[in-house]
Amino acid sequence: MEKILIIDDEAFICENVQRILSGEGFEVRAAGSGKEARDIVAGEEIDLALLDLNLGSEDGIEVLKSLKETDPELLVIIITGYGSVESAVESLQLGAFHYMKKPFKADALRLIVKLALKTQTLKREVRKLKRNNSPLPGRSPIIGKSEAFQEMAAQVREIARIPSTVLITGESGTGKEVVARAIHDLSDRREHPFIAINCASIPAPLLESELFGHEKGAFTGASGRKKGLFEEAHRGTIFLDEIGEMDMAMQVKLLRVLQERSIRRVGAVKDIEIDARVIAATNRDLAKRIEEKSFREDLFYRLNVFPINIPPLRERPADIAALSAYFLDSFSRSFGRDFRDVSAEAELLMAQYAWPGNIRELRNVIERICIMRSGPTLLPEHLPQEIKSCVAVPPLPAEMPVTVAADLGLEEAVSAIEKSLIQQALQKTGWNVLQTAVNLKIPRGTLRYKMEKYGLMQ
C-alpha cells in the first residue's frame, strides 16, 4: 500500500485530503509543520508528499528543499494559493513533481496523485534495471538435461514457493546468480525488485552504507539521505554474492538484520522494517572458513536454511550440448551470424573438456566464435586449441565383418548391414550416442533416427 504524506497547517484540509485518498486505498499521514514532515520522511518509506507552500511562519520552499535533501527520490506535489503561483514555479525548478491551486476538486486530486505514483513506480523500475545492469528482454534461463541439473531444478521450483533464506554454493562460473534470479522469478515476489550485490567488490568500510543506506551527515561526503539495497529490495529479493568474503564486523550486522527483519541506516537512530528475501552465494567452503574463525557459525546457520549446490560443468557433460545451443543461437542473433547447430565432432570435444571456468567459460568461448566466425555449423576447427587438443577421437576398426542371409534383396541386405554396423558401433562406445555418431561420421540426429528405425533405442 502506497504511503502519502499531506503537509498543511490547516487541519480541515489534512482531514479532507485523508478522506479522499484513503477512499482510494492509500495510507495517508498528516504533518502540520515542516519539522514534523521531515521527521516522518526520515523514519518511514513515503511514496508521495503533498506540500502546502503557506505553512504559517515557515517558508514552504525551504521545507521542500529540506525534504528533498532528506529523501532525494521523494515525489512532492505543491499545493498553492492564487497569490503564490510564482513560488510554485520555483518549486518545480527545485524538483517538485507538480502543483495544484486551491481550492482543488477531489477528482483532480485523485488523478494527479495516481499519475505521480505511476511515475514513481516507473522511476524505481528504471533504477532497478540500471542497478542490475540487466536488459529488459528477459534473462538467461537455467538450462540442462543431466540428472544433477534436474535435481537442482526441482529444488529451485520447490524453494520458490516459500520465503526461506537460501544459500547457493558452487564453483565460480556455475551460474549462481542465474539460479537466484530463477528462484525470484518463480516466486510470488517476481513483481518486486531483484537486487544483486557482490560483497567482494565493495570495500568493507563502504559495504554497510551500500546495504543499509545512510543519513545526511553520517560521514564525510554524505550530502543527503541514501537508501540502502535492503530498502531497494523491499518486498522483493536481495542476492548477496560472494558472502564468504564479508568481513566479521559486517557479518554481525547482517546477522542482526536476518534476526530482526529490520535495518538501521548509518547515522540513524530508528530502525526500518524490511521485507526482503535473502539469497546468498559463495564459491568458498564456509565450513572451512568457520574453522579458520573467518566466518560466523551463527550466520552460516541463518543463511543455510535451504542449501542449493550447483555441480561444476565437468560433472554434468550432458548439459554442455543444450547450453552450447542456447548460447550459439543467442550470440548468432546478436552478431548477425547464421550458426544453426554444432557438429557431432565439436560436441564430443566440448563434452570431454574439463571447463575449469564452467558455464561462464563456455559462454565466452561461444561468444568469441560468433564474433570471429560464421556458420552454419560450429566445427572443431572453430574451437580454441585447449579444447581441440584435450582428446583424440578413436577411429573405427578397419574391418567389421557382417553376414546377411543369401535370399535377401539388395535393399533389405543394405538395411541389415547398416543395422549391424550401428549396433556394433554402439556396443563399442557403451551406447554413447554422441561418440558413436562421431565414429560413424554421421550427424547425431541421423543416428538417432536410424536407431529408432532398427529398434536399437535403449
Coordinates of all heavy atoms in Angstrom, one line a residue, residues 128-217:
K128 N 16.1 0.0 -10.8 CA 16.4 -1.4 -10.5 C 17.1 -2.0 -11.7 O 18.1 -2.7 -11.6 CB 15.1 -2.1 -10.3 CG 15.2 -3.6 -10.0 CD 13.9 -4.3 -9.9 CE 13.2 -4.5 -11.2 NZ 12.0 -5.4 -11.2
L129 N 16.6 -1.7 -12.9 CA 17.2 -2.2 -14.2 C 18.7 -1.7 -14.3 O 19.6 -2.5 -14.7 CB 16.4 -1.9 -15.4 CG 15.1 -2.5 -15.5 CD1 14.3 -1.9 -16.6 CD2 15.2 -4.0 -15.8
K130 N 18.9 -0.5 -14.0 CA 20.3 0.1 -14.1 C 21.2 -0.6 -13.1 O 22.3 -0.9 -13.3 CB 20.3 1.6 -13.9 CG 19.7 2.4 -15.0 CD 19.8 3.9 -14.8 CE 19.3 4.7 -16.0 NZ 19.3 6.1 -15.7
R131 N 20.7 -0.8 -11.8 CA 21.5 -1.4 -10.8 C 21.8 -2.8 -11.1 O 22.9 -3.3 -10.9 CB 20.7 -1.3 -9.4 CG 21.6 -1.8 -8.3 CD 20.8 -1.7 -7.0 NE 20.4 -0.4 -6.7 CZ 21.1 0.5 -6.1 NH1 22.4 0.3 -5.9 NH2 20.6 1.7 -5.8
N132 N 20.9 -3.5 -11.7 CA 21.1 -4.9 -12.1 C 21.9 -5.1 -13.3 O 22.4 -6.1 -13.7 CB 19.8 -5.7 -12.3 CG 19.1 -5.9 -11.0 OD1 19.7 -5.8 -9.9 ND2 17.8 -6.2 -11.0
N133 N 22.1 -3.9 -14.1 CA 22.8 -4.0 -15.4 C 22.1 -5.0 -16.3 O 22.8 -5.8 -17.0 CB 24.3 -4.2 -15.2 CG 25.0 -3.9 -16.5 OD1 24.6 -3.1 -17.3 ND2 26.2 -4.5 -16.7
S134 N 20.8 -5.1 -16.2 CA 20.1 -6.2 -16.9 C 19.2 -5.6 -18.0 O 18.4 -4.7 -17.7 CB 19.3 -7.0 -15.9 OG 18.5 -7.9 -16.5
P135 N 19.3 -6.0 -19.2 CA 18.4 -5.5 -20.3 C 17.0 -6.0 -20.0 O 16.7 -7.0 -19.4 CB 19.0 -6.1 -21.6 CG 19.7 -7.4 -21.1 CD 20.2 -7.1 -19.7
L136 N 16.0 -5.3 -20.6 CA 14.6 -5.6 -20.5 C 14.2 -7.0 -21.0 O 13.5 -7.7 -20.3 CB 13.8 -4.5 -21.1 CG 13.5 -3.3 -20.3 CD1 12.9 -2.2 -21.2 CD2 12.7 -3.5 -19.1
P137 N 14.7 -7.4 -22.2 CA 14.1 -8.6 -22.8 C 14.5 -9.9 -22.1 O 15.1 -10.8 -22.7 CB 14.6 -8.6 -24.2 CG 15.8 -7.7 -24.2 CD 15.7 -6.8 -23.1
G138 N 14.3 -10.1 -20.9 CA 14.4 -11.4 -20.3 C 15.9 -11.7 -19.9 O 16.8 -11.1 -20.3
R139 N 16.0 -12.8 -19.1 CA 17.3 -13.1 -18.5 C 17.7 -14.5 -19.0 O 16.9 -15.3 -19.4 CB 17.3 -13.0 -17.0 CG 16.8 -11.7 -16.5 CD 16.8 -11.7 -15.0 NE 16.4 -10.4 -14.5 CZ 15.2 -10.2 -14.0 NH1 14.3 -11.1 -13.9 NH2 14.8 -9.0 -13.6
S140 N 19.0 -14.9 -18.8 CA 19.4 -16.2 -19.2 C 18.7 -17.3 -18.4 O 18.7 -17.2 -17.1 CB 20.9 -16.3 -18.9 OG 21.6 -15.4 -19.8
P141 N 18.1 -18.2 -19.0 CA 17.4 -19.3 -18.3 C 18.4 -20.3 -17.7 O 19.5 -20.3 -18.1 CB 16.5 -19.9 -19.3 CG 17.3 -19.7 -20.6 CD 18.0 -18.4 -20.5
I142 N 17.9 -21.1 -16.8 CA 18.8 -22.2 -16.3 C 18.4 -23.4 -17.3 O 17.3 -23.7 -17.5 CB 18.5 -22.6 -14.9 CG1 17.0 -22.8 -14.6 CG2 19.1 -21.5 -14.0 CD1 16.8 -23.3 -13.1
I143 N 19.5 -24.0 -17.8 CA 19.4 -25.0 -18.9 C 20.1 -26.2 -18.6 O 21.3 -26.1 -18.1 CB 19.9 -24.4 -20.2 CG1 19.0 -23.2 -20.7 CG2 19.9 -25.4 -21.3 CD1 19.6 -22.4 -21.8
G144 N 19.6 -27.4 -18.8 CA 20.3 -28.6 -18.6 C 19.4 -29.8 -18.7 O 18.2 -29.7 -18.5
K145 N 20.0 -31.0 -19.0 CA 19.2 -32.2 -19.1 C 19.8 -33.3 -18.2 O 19.1 -34.4 -18.0 CB 19.3 -32.8 -20.6 CG 18.7 -31.8 -21.6 CD 18.8 -32.4 -23.0 CE 18.2 -31.5 -24.0 NZ 18.3 -32.0 -25.4
S146 N 20.9 -33.1 -17.6 CA 21.5 -34.1 -16.7 C 20.7 -34.4 -15.5 O 19.9 -33.5 -15.1 CB 22.9 -33.7 -16.3 OG 22.9 -32.6 -15.5
E147 N 21.0 -35.5 -14.9 CA 20.2 -35.9 -13.7 C 20.5 -34.9 -12.5 O 19.7 -34.5 -11.8 CB 20.6 -37.3 -13.2 CG 19.9 -37.8 -12.0 CD 20.3 -39.2 -11.6 OE1 20.8 -39.9 -12.5 OE2 20.0 -39.6 -10.5
A148 N 21.8 -34.4 -12.5 CA 22.2 -33.5 -11.4 C 21.5 -32.1 -11.6 O 21.0 -31.5 -10.7 CB 23.7 -33.2 -11.5
F149 N 21.3 -31.7 -12.9 CA 20.6 -30.5 -13.2 C 19.1 -30.6 -12.9 O 18.5 -29.7 -12.3 CB 20.8 -30.1 -14.7 CG 19.9 -28.9 -15.0 CD1 20.3 -27.6 -14.8 CD2 18.6 -29.1 -15.6 CE1 19.5 -26.6 -15.1 CE2 17.8 -28.1 -15.9 CZ 18.3 -26.8 -15.7
Q150 N 18.5 -31.7 -13.2 CA 17.1 -31.9 -13.0 C 16.8 -31.9 -11.5 O 15.8 -31.4 -11.0 CB 16.6 -33.3 -13.6 CG 16.7 -33.3 -15.1 CD 15.8 -32.2 -15.8 OE1 14.8 -31.8 -15.2 NE2 16.3 -31.8 -16.9
E151 N 17.7 -32.5 -10.7 CA 17.5 -32.4 -9.2 C 17.6 -31.0 -8.7 O 16.8 -30.6 -7.9 CB 18.6 -33.3 -8.6 CG 18.5 -33.4 -7.1 CD 19.6 -34.3 -6.5 OE1 20.2 -35.1 -7.2 OE2 19.8 -34.2 -5.2
M152 N 18.6 -30.3 -9.2 CA 18.7 -28.9 -8.8 C 17.5 -28.0 -9.2 O 17.0 -27.2 -8.5 CB 20.0 -28.3 -9.4 CG 20.3 -26.8 -8.9 SD 21.6 -26.1 -9.8 CE 20.8 -25.9 -11.5
A153 N 17.0 -28.3 -10.4 CA 15.9 -27.5 -10.9 C 14.6 -27.8 -10.1 O 13.8 -26.9 -9.8 CB 15.6 -27.9 -12.4
A154 N 14.5 -29.0 -9.6 CA 13.4 -29.4 -8.8 C 13.5 -28.6 -7.4 O 12.5 -28.2 -6.9 CB 13.3 -30.9 -8.5
Q155 N 14.7 -28.5 -6.9 CA 14.9 -27.7 -5.7 C 14.5 -26.3 -5.9 O 13.9 -25.6 -5.0 CB 16.4 -27.8 -5.3 CG 16.8 -29.2 -4.7 CD 18.2 -29.2 -4.3 OE1 19.1 -28.7 -5.0 NE2 18.5 -29.7 -3.1
V156 N 14.9 -25.7 -7.0 CA 14.6 -24.3 -7.3 C 13.1 -24.1 -7.3 O 12.6 -23.1 -6.7 CB 15.2 -23.9 -8.7 CG1 14.6 -22.5 -9.1 CG2 16.7 -23.8 -8.6
R157 N 12.4 -25.0 -8.0 CA 10.9 -24.8 -8.0 C 10.3 -25.0 -6.7 O 9.3 -24.2 -6.3 CB 10.3 -25.9 -9.0 CG 10.6 -25.6 -10.5 CD 9.8 -26.6 -11.3 NE 10.2 -27.9 -11.2 CZ 11.1 -28.5 -11.9 NH1 11.8 -27.8 -12.9 NH2 11.5 -29.8 -11.7
E158 N 10.8 -25.8 -5.8 CA 10.3 -26.0 -4.5 C 10.5 -24.8 -3.6 O 9.6 -24.4 -2.9 CB 10.9 -27.3 -3.9 CG 10.3 -27.7 -2.5 CD 8.9 -28.2 -2.7 OE1 8.5 -28.6 -3.8 OE2 8.2 -28.1 -1.6
I159 N 11.8 -24.3 -3.6 CA 12.1 -23.2 -2.7 C 11.4 -21.9 -3.1 O 11.2 -21.1 -2.3 CB 13.6 -23.1 -2.6 CG1 14.0 -22.1 -1.4 CG2 14.2 -22.6 -3.8 CD1 13.5 -22.6 -0.1
A160 N 11.1 -21.8 -4.4 CA 10.5 -20.6 -4.9 C 9.1 -20.4 -4.2 O 8.6 -19.2 -4.1 CB 10.3 -20.6 -6.4
R161 N 8.5 -21.4 -3.8 CA 7.1 -21.3 -3.2 C 7.1 -20.8 -1.8 O 6.1 -20.3 -1.3 CB 6.5 -22.7 -3.2 CG 6.3 -23.4 -4.6 CD 5.5 -24.6 -4.5 NE 6.1 -25.6 -3.6 CZ 5.6 -25.9 -2.4 NH1 4.5 -25.3 -1.9 NH2 6.1 -26.8 -1.6
I162 N 8.2 -20.9 -1.1 CA 8.3 -20.4 0.3 C 9.4 -19.4 0.5 O 10.3 -19.3 -0.3 CB 8.5 -21.6 1.2 CG1 9.8 -22.4 0.8 CG2 7.3 -22.5 1.3 CD1 10.1 -23.6 1.7
P163 N 9.3 -18.5 1.5 CA 10.2 -17.3 1.6 C 11.4 -17.6 2.3 O 12.1 -16.6 2.8 CB 9.3 -16.3 2.3 CG 8.4 -17.1 3.2 CD 8.1 -18.4 2.4
S164 N 11.9 -18.8 2.5 CA 13.1 -19.1 3.3 C 14.3 -18.5 2.7 O 14.4 -18.3 1.5 CB 13.2 -20.6 3.4 OG 12.1 -21.2 4.1
T165 N 15.3 -18.3 3.6 CA 16.6 -17.9 3.1 C 17.3 -19.0 2.4 O 17.2 -20.2 2.8 CB 17.5 -17.4 4.3 OG1 16.8 -16.4 5.0 CG2 18.8 -16.9 3.9
V166 N 18.1 -18.7 1.4 CA 18.7 -19.7 0.5 C 20.2 -19.5 0.5 O 20.6 -18.3 0.4 CB 18.2 -19.7 -0.9 CG1 18.8 -20.8 -1.7 CG2 16.6 -19.9 -0.9
L167 N 21.0 -20.5 0.6 CA 22.5 -20.4 0.4 C 22.8 -21.3 -0.8 O 22.7 -22.5 -0.8 CB 23.2 -20.9 1.6 CG 24.8 -20.9 1.5 CD1 25.2 -19.4 1.3 CD2 25.4 -21.5 2.7
I168 N 23.4 -20.6 -1.9 CA 23.8 -21.3 -3.1 C 25.3 -21.4 -3.1 O 26.0 -20.5 -2.9 CB 23.3 -20.5 -4.4 CG1 21.8 -20.3 -4.3 CG2 23.7 -21.2 -5.6 CD1 21.3 -19.4 -5.4
T169 N 25.8 -22.7 -3.3 CA 27.2 -22.9 -3.3 C 27.6 -23.5 -4.7 O 26.7 -24.1 -5.4 CB 27.6 -23.9 -2.2 OG1 26.9 -25.1 -2.3 CG2 27.4 -23.2 -0.8
G170 N 28.8 -23.3 -5.1 CA 29.3 -23.8 -6.4 C 30.5 -23.1 -6.8 O 30.8 -22.0 -6.3
E171 N 31.2 -23.7 -7.7 CA 32.5 -23.1 -8.2 C 32.1 -21.8 -9.0 O 31.0 -21.5 -9.4 CB 33.2 -24.0 -9.1 CG 33.8 -25.3 -8.4 CD 34.5 -26.2 -9.4 OE1 34.6 -25.8 -10.6 OE2 34.9 -27.3 -9.0
S172 N 33.1 -20.9 -9.1 CA 33.0 -19.7 -9.9 C 32.6 -20.0 -11.3 O 33.1 -20.9 -12.0 CB 34.3 -18.9 -9.9 OG 34.2 -17.7 -10.6
G173 N 31.6 -19.3 -11.8 CA 31.1 -19.5 -13.2 C 30.0 -20.5 -13.4 O 29.6 -20.8 -14.5
T174 N 29.5 -21.1 -12.3 CA 28.5 -22.2 -12.5 C 27.1 -21.6 -12.6 O 26.2 -22.4 -12.9 CB 28.5 -23.1 -11.3 OG1 28.5 -22.4 -10.0 CG2 29.7 -24.0 -11.3
G175 N 26.9 -20.3 -12.4 CA 25.6 -19.7 -12.6 C 24.8 -19.5 -11.4 O 23.6 -19.6 -11.4
K176 N 25.5 -19.1 -10.3 CA 24.7 -18.9 -9.0 C 23.7 -17.8 -9.1 O 22.6 -17.9 -8.5 CB 25.8 -18.7 -7.9 CG 26.7 -19.9 -7.6 CD 27.6 -19.8 -6.5 CE 28.7 -18.8 -6.7 NZ 29.7 -19.4 -7.8
E177 N 24.1 -16.7 -9.7 CA 23.1 -15.6 -9.8 C 22.0 -15.9 -10.7 O 20.8 -15.5 -10.5 CB 23.8 -14.3 -10.3 CG 22.9 -13.1 -10.4 CD 23.5 -11.8 -10.7 OE1 24.8 -11.7 -10.6 OE2 22.8 -10.8 -11.0
V178 N 22.2 -16.7 -11.8 CA 21.1 -17.2 -12.7 C 20.1 -18.0 -11.9 O 18.9 -17.8 -12.0 CB 21.7 -18.0 -13.8 CG1 20.6 -18.6 -14.7 CG2 22.6 -17.1 -14.7
V179 N 20.6 -18.9 -11.0 CA 19.7 -19.7 -10.2 C 19.0 -18.8 -9.2 O 17.8 -19.0 -9.0 CB 20.6 -20.8 -9.4 CG1 19.7 -21.5 -8.4 CG2 21.1 -21.8 -10.4
A180 N 19.7 -17.8 -8.6 CA 19.0 -16.9 -7.7 C 17.9 -16.2 -8.3 O 16.8 -16.0 -7.8 CB 20.0 -16.0 -7.0
R181 N 18.1 -15.7 -9.6 CA 17.1 -15.0 -10.3 C 15.9 -15.9 -10.7 O 14.8 -15.5 -10.6 CB 17.7 -14.4 -11.6 CG 18.6 -13.2 -11.4 CD 19.0 -12.7 -12.8 NE 19.9 -11.5 -12.6 CZ 19.5 -10.3 -12.5 NH1 18.2 -10.0 -12.5 NH2 20.3 -9.3 -12.4
A182 N 16.2 -17.2 -10.9 CA 15.2 -18.1 -11.3 C 14.3 -18.3 -10.0 O 13.0 -18.4 -10.2 CB 15.8 -19.5 -11.7
I183 N 14.8 -18.4 -8.9 CA 14.1 -18.5 -7.6 C 13.1 -17.3 -7.5 O 11.9 -17.5 -7.2 CB 15.0 -18.7 -6.4 CG1 15.7 -20.0 -6.5 CG2 14.2 -18.6 -5.1 CD1 16.8 -20.2 -5.4
H184 N 13.7 -16.2 -7.7 CA 12.9 -14.9 -7.6 C 11.8 -14.9 -8.6 O 10.6 -14.6 -8.3 CB 13.8 -13.7 -7.7 CG 13.1 -12.4 -7.8 ND1 12.6 -11.8 -6.7 CD2 12.8 -11.6 -8.9 CE1 12.0 -10.6 -7.1 NE2 12.1 -10.5 -8.4
D185 N 12.1 -15.2 -9.8 CA 11.1 -15.1 -10.9 C 10.0 -16.1 -10.8 O 8.9 -15.9 -11.3 CB 11.8 -15.3 -12.3 CG 12.7 -14.1 -12.6 OD1 12.6 -13.0 -12.0 OD2 13.6 -14.3 -13.5
L186 N 10.3 -17.2 -10.1 CA 9.2 -18.2 -9.9 C 8.4 -18.0 -8.6 O 7.5 -18.7 -8.4 CB 9.9 -19.6 -9.8 CG 10.4 -20.2 -11.1 CD1 11.2 -21.4 -10.9 CD2 9.3 -20.4 -12.2
S187 N 8.8 -17.0 -7.8 CA 8.2 -16.8 -6.5 C 7.1 -15.8 -6.6 O 6.9 -15.1 -7.7 CB 9.2 -16.3 -5.5 OG 9.6 -15.0 -5.7
D188 N 6.4 -15.5 -5.5 CA 5.3 -14.5 -5.6 C 5.9 -13.1 -5.4 O 5.1 -12.2 -5.3 CB 4.3 -14.8 -4.5 CG 4.8 -14.9 -3.1 OD1 6.1 -14.6 -2.9 OD2 4.1 -15.3 -2.2
R189 N 7.2 -13.0 -5.3 CA 7.9 -11.7 -5.3 C 8.3 -11.2 -6.6 O 9.0 -10.2 -6.7 CB 9.1 -11.8 -4.3 CG 8.7 -12.1 -2.9 CD 10.0 -12.4 -2.0 NE 9.6 -12.6 -0.6 CZ 9.6 -11.7 0.3 NH1 10.0 -10.5 0.1 NH2 9.3 -12.0 1.5
R190 N 8.0 -11.9 -7.7 CA 8.5 -11.6 -9.0 C 8.2 -10.2 -9.5 O 8.9 -9.7 -10.4 CB 8.0 -12.7 -10.0 CG 6.5 -12.6 -10.3 CD 6.0 -13.6 -11.3 NE 6.1 -15.0 -10.7 CZ 5.1 -15.5 -10.1 NH1 4.0 -14.9 -9.9 NH2 5.3 -16.8 -9.6
E191 N 7.1 -9.6 -9.0 CA 6.8 -8.3 -9.5 C 7.5 -7.2 -8.7 O 7.4 -6.0 -9.0 CB 5.3 -8.0 -9.3 CG 4.4 -9.0 -10.1 CD 4.6 -9.0 -11.6 OE1 4.9 -7.8 -12.1 OE2 4.5 -10.0 -12.2
H192 N 8.4 -7.6 -7.8 CA 9.1 -6.6 -7.0 C 10.6 -6.8 -7.3 O 11.0 -7.7 -8.0 CB 8.8 -6.9 -5.5 CG 7.4 -6.7 -5.1 ND1 6.8 -5.4 -5.1 CD2 6.4 -7.6 -4.9 CE1 5.5 -5.6 -4.8 NE2 5.2 -6.9 -4.7
P193 N 11.4 -5.9 -6.8 CA 12.8 -5.8 -7.2 C 13.7 -7.1 -6.9 O 13.4 -7.7 -5.9 CB 13.4 -4.6 -6.5 CG 12.2 -3.8 -6.1 CD 11.1 -4.7 -5.9
F194 N 14.6 -7.4 -7.8 CA 15.7 -8.3 -7.5 C 16.9 -7.5 -7.5 O 17.3 -7.0 -8.5 CB 15.7 -9.4 -8.6 CG 16.9 -10.4 -8.4 CD1 16.7 -11.6 -7.7 CD2 18.1 -10.1 -9.0 CE1 17.8 -12.4 -7.6 CE2 19.2 -11.0 -8.8 CZ 19.0 -12.1 -8.1
I195 N 17.6 -7.4 -6.3 CA 18.7 -6.6 -6.2 C 19.9 -7.5 -5.9 O 19.9 -8.3 -5.0 CB 18.6 -5.6 -5.0 CG1 17.3 -4.7 -5.2 CG2 19.8 -4.7 -4.9 CD1 17.4 -3.8 -6.4
A196 N 21.0 -7.3 -6.7 CA 22.2 -8.2 -6.6 C 23.4 -7.3 -6.2 O 23.5 -6.2 -6.7 CB 22.5 -8.9 -7.9
I197 N 24.2 -7.8 -5.3 CA 25.4 -7.1 -4.9 C 26.5 -8.2 -4.7 O 26.3 -9.2 -4.1 CB 25.2 -6.3 -3.7 CG1 26.5 -5.6 -3.3 CG2 24.7 -7.1 -2.5 CD1 26.4 -4.6 -2.2
N198 N 27.7 -7.9 -5.2 CA 28.9 -8.7 -5.0 C 29.6 -8.2 -3.7 O 30.2 -7.1 -3.8 CB 29.8 -8.7 -6.2 CG 30.9 -9.7 -6.1 OD1 31.6 -9.8 -5.0 ND2 31.1 -10.5 -7.1
C199 N 29.5 -8.9 -2.7 CA 30.1 -8.5 -1.4 C 31.6 -8.3 -1.5 O 32.2 -7.6 -0.6 CB 29.7 -9.4 -0.3 SG 28.0 -9.6 0.0
A200 N 32.3 -9.0 -2.4 CA 33.7 -8.9 -2.5 C 34.2 -7.7 -3.3 O 35.4 -7.3 -3.3 CB 34.3 -10.2 -3.2
S201 N 33.3 -7.1 -4.0 CA 33.6 -6.0 -4.9 C 33.6 -4.6 -4.3 O 34.0 -3.6 -4.9 CB 32.7 -6.0 -6.2 OG 31.4 -5.6 -5.8
I202 N 33.1 -4.5 -3.0 CA 32.9 -3.2 -2.4 C 33.8 -3.2 -1.1 O 33.7 -4.2 -0.3 CB 31.4 -3.0 -2.0 CG1 30.6 -3.0 -3.3 CG2 31.3 -1.7 -1.2 CD1 29.1 -2.8 -3.0
P203 N 34.6 -2.2 -0.9 CA 35.5 -2.2 0.3 C 34.6 -2.3 1.6 O 33.5 -1.7 1.6 CB 36.2 -0.8 0.2 CG 36.1 -0.5 -1.3 CD 34.8 -1.1 -1.8
A204 N 35.2 -3.0 2.6 CA 34.4 -3.2 3.8 C 33.9 -1.9 4.4 O 32.7 -1.9 4.9 CB 35.3 -4.0 4.8
P205 N 34.6 -0.8 4.5 CA 34.0 0.4 5.1 C 32.8 0.9 4.4 O 32.0 1.7 5.0 CB 35.2 1.4 5.1 CG 36.4 0.5 4.9 CD 36.0 -0.6 4.1
L206 N 32.7 0.6 3.1 CA 31.5 1.2 2.3 C 30.4 0.2 2.2 O 29.3 0.6 1.8 CB 32.0 1.5 0.9 CG 33.1 2.6 0.8 CD1 33.5 2.8 -0.7 CD2 32.7 3.9 1.5
L207 N 30.6 -1.1 2.6 CA 29.6 -2.1 2.4 C 28.3 -1.8 3.3 O 27.2 -2.0 2.8 CB 30.1 -3.4 2.6 CG 29.2 -4.6 2.3 CD1 28.8 -4.6 0.9 CD2 29.9 -5.9 2.6
E208 N 28.5 -1.3 4.5 CA 27.4 -1.1 5.4 C 26.5 0.0 4.8 O 25.3 -0.2 4.8 CB 27.9 -0.7 6.8 CG 26.7 -0.4 7.7 CD 27.2 0.0 9.1 OE1 28.4 0.1 9.3 OE2 26.3 0.1 10.0
S209 N 27.1 1.1 4.3 CA 26.3 2.1 3.7 C 25.5 1.6 2.4 O 24.4 2.0 2.2 CB 27.1 3.3 3.4 OG 26.4 4.3 2.6
E210 N 26.2 0.8 1.7 CA 25.6 0.3 0.5 C 24.4 -0.6 0.8 O 23.4 -0.6 0.1 CB 26.7 -0.5 -0.3 CG 26.3 -0.8 -1.8 CD 26.2 0.4 -2.7 OE1 26.8 1.4 -2.4 OE2 25.6 0.2 -3.7
L211 N 24.6 -1.5 1.8 CA 23.5 -2.4 2.1 C 22.3 -1.7 2.9 O 21.2 -2.0 2.6 CB 24.0 -3.6 2.9 CG 24.9 -4.6 2.2 CD1 25.5 -5.6 3.2 CD2 24.1 -5.3 1.1
F212 N 22.7 -0.8 3.9 CA 21.7 -0.3 4.8 C 21.4 1.2 4.5 O 20.4 1.7 5.1 CB 22.2 -0.5 6.2 CG 22.5 -1.9 6.6 CD1 23.6 -2.2 7.4 CD2 21.9 -3.0 6.0 CE1 24.0 -3.5 7.7 CE2 22.2 -4.3 6.3 CZ 23.3 -4.5 7.1
G213 N 22.2 1.9 3.7 CA 21.9 3.3 3.5 C 22.5 4.1 4.6 O 23.1 3.7 5.5
H214 N 22.4 5.5 4.4 CA 22.9 6.4 5.4 C 22.1 7.7 5.4 O 21.3 8.0 4.5 CB 24.4 6.7 5.1 CG 24.6 7.4 3.8 ND1 25.2 6.8 2.7 CD2 24.3 8.7 3.4 CE1 25.2 7.6 1.7 NE2 24.7 8.8 2.1
E215 N 22.2 8.4 6.5 CA 21.5 9.7 6.7 C 22.5 10.8 6.3 O 23.7 10.6 6.2 CB 21.1 9.9 8.2 CG 20.1 8.9 8.6 CD 18.7 9.0 8.0 OE1 18.5 10.1 7.4 OE2 17.9 8.1 8.1
K216 N 21.9 11.9 6.0 CA 22.7 13.1 5.7 C 23.7 13.4 6.8 O 23.3 13.5 8.0 CB 21.8 14.3 5.4 CG 22.5 15.6 5.1 CD 21.6 16.7 4.9 CE 22.3 18.0 4.6 NZ 21.4 19.2 4.5
G217 N 24.9 13.6 6.5 CA 25.9 14.0 7.5 C 26.4 12.8 8.3 O 27.2 13.0 9.3

